[in-house]
Amino acid sequence: MEQIARIRVLIADDHDIFRDGLSLLLLKEPTIELVGDAANGKQLMQMAKELHPDIVLTDLKMPEMDGIEAIQTIKELYPAIKSIALSSFDSDAMVIDALEAGAMGYIIKNADRGEIVDAIRMVYTGSPYYCKTTSGRLVKLIARSEFNPYKADASKLFSDKEKEIIRLICEEKTSKEIGELLFMSSRTVEGHRVKILEKMNVKTTAGVAIYAIKNGIYNTYQE
């Protein structure tokens, strides 16, 4: 049987305990190959040059060279390498800086293994990843930022009914509430949700909202 190539990942964080824990987590994932770990931005740059990973998963606050500068430099020198930012709860502005510097996604540092793997897989395929715990404030900041990985006229993928559901999802309505407003069952709404996420190629409600805002389907966050 032909062996499936694994996603080559390089991680960077200046805290040894966190870096060791993340390394152990990724080593348990059969679809991922951990190729190295760096303790600062300069070491990250050197290892990216030598190891040519598919994905760099990096903290944003590091000595010698911070993660944002490293992300920007990696994008310029090694455009085939995709970056994911590791953020803290209180670092919304840094997440925006990282996305505008070239990161294709972000997750908080205490994300579980499943979400970290999802983020790596999504970004590896060229799609952005937005953390499940993304706040409304951060969604607004991303909507107003220069970060926009979506193709032109992407909104044409959706029917009028799907656009109605998307707008209600952006307003944080539950499937039951959407069903009551649009006179359909919760099960039917859930079916539409699945199709919408598939068309957008996103995993989270934040991803739906950001996609909708960037493509003109929903604009309340920009008012």
Side-chain angles (χ1 to χ4, degrees):
M1 182 180 295
E2 184 180 353
Q3 187 173 4
I4 299 174
R6 294 187 293 172
I7 303 171
R8 292 167 49 80
V9 177
L10 171 62
I11 64 174
D13 193 283
D14 60 322
H15 291 93
D16 293 345
I17 293 176
F18 177 81
R19 195 171 67 253
D20 290 346
L22 182 57
S23 296
L24 183 61
L25 182 153
L26 294 178
L27 286 169
K28 293 179 179 179
E29 176 54 46
T31 63
I32 291 172
E33 178 185 356
L34 180 63
V35 297
D37 61 275
N40 58 63
K42 284 190 175 181
Q43 189 177 12
L44 169 60
M45 291 304 308
Q46 184 61 36
M47 295 179 79
K49 178 181 179 181
E50 295 173 354
L51 299 172
H52 302 288
D54 299 308
I55 301 288
V56 163
L57 192 59
T58 180
D59 187 19
L60 299 180
K61 298 179 181 178
M62 293 188 294
E64 298 191 43
M65 176 188 286
D66 65 37
I68 294 168
E69 184 180 354
I71 288 168
Q72 185 172 20
T73 306
I74 286 171
K75 184 178 181 181
E76 292 171 355
L77 297 179
Y78 317 109
I81 300 175
K82 299 179 177 71
S83 298
I84 300 172
L86 288 166
S87 72
S88 303
F89 280 109
D90 59 349
S91 59
D92 287 0
M94 293 191 75
V95 168
I96 299 300
D97 288 343
L99 293 174
E100 292 186 339
M104 281 293 291
Y106 62 90
I107 50 176
I108 58 172
K109 283 195 166 187
N110 66 347
D112 60 35
R113 175 183 170 186
E115 180 164 20
I116 294 171
V117 172
D118 276 347
I120 290 170
R121 288 174 178 166
M122 290 286 289
V123 170
Y124 177 70
T125 63
S127 298
Y129 186 86
Y130 309 102
C131 186
K132 291 178 181 178
T133 58
T134 300
S135 65
R137 177 179 179 274
L138 183 51
V139 168
K140 294 177 188 179
L141 290 172
I142 295 172
R144 294 170 182 148
S145 74
E146 296 179 3
F147 176 74
N148 189 0
Y150 305 109
K151 297 178 181 179
D153 298 325
S155 63
K156 293 181 179 179
L157 293 170
F158 304 96
S159 67
D160 290 341
K161 179 62 69 177
E162 286 173 329
K163 288 179 181 178
E164 281 188 274
I165 294 171
I166 290 167
R167 293 181 190 113
L168 292 170
I169 291 173
C170 291
E171 292 173 5
E172 301 184 36
K173 302 293 186 185
T174 65
S175 292
K176 181 180 179 181
E177 290 170 333
I178 293 172
E180 290 172 351
L181 289 167
L182 300 182
F183 306 103
M184 59 179 66
S185 69
S186 296
R187 185 173 180 178
T188 300
V189 175
E190 284 298 324
H192 281 296
R193 276 183 182 265
V194 170
K195 290 181 180 177
I196 288 166
L197 266 66
E198 287 178 351
K199 286 184 178 182
M200 292 182 175
N201 199 15
V202 299
K203 291 279 190 179
T204 65
T205 299
V208 172
I210 293 165
Y211 182 107
I213 293 165
K214 291 293 188 181
N215 286 285
I217 300 172
Y218 185 74
N219 59 22
T220 297
Y221 279 127
Q222 294 179 316
E223 293 177 355

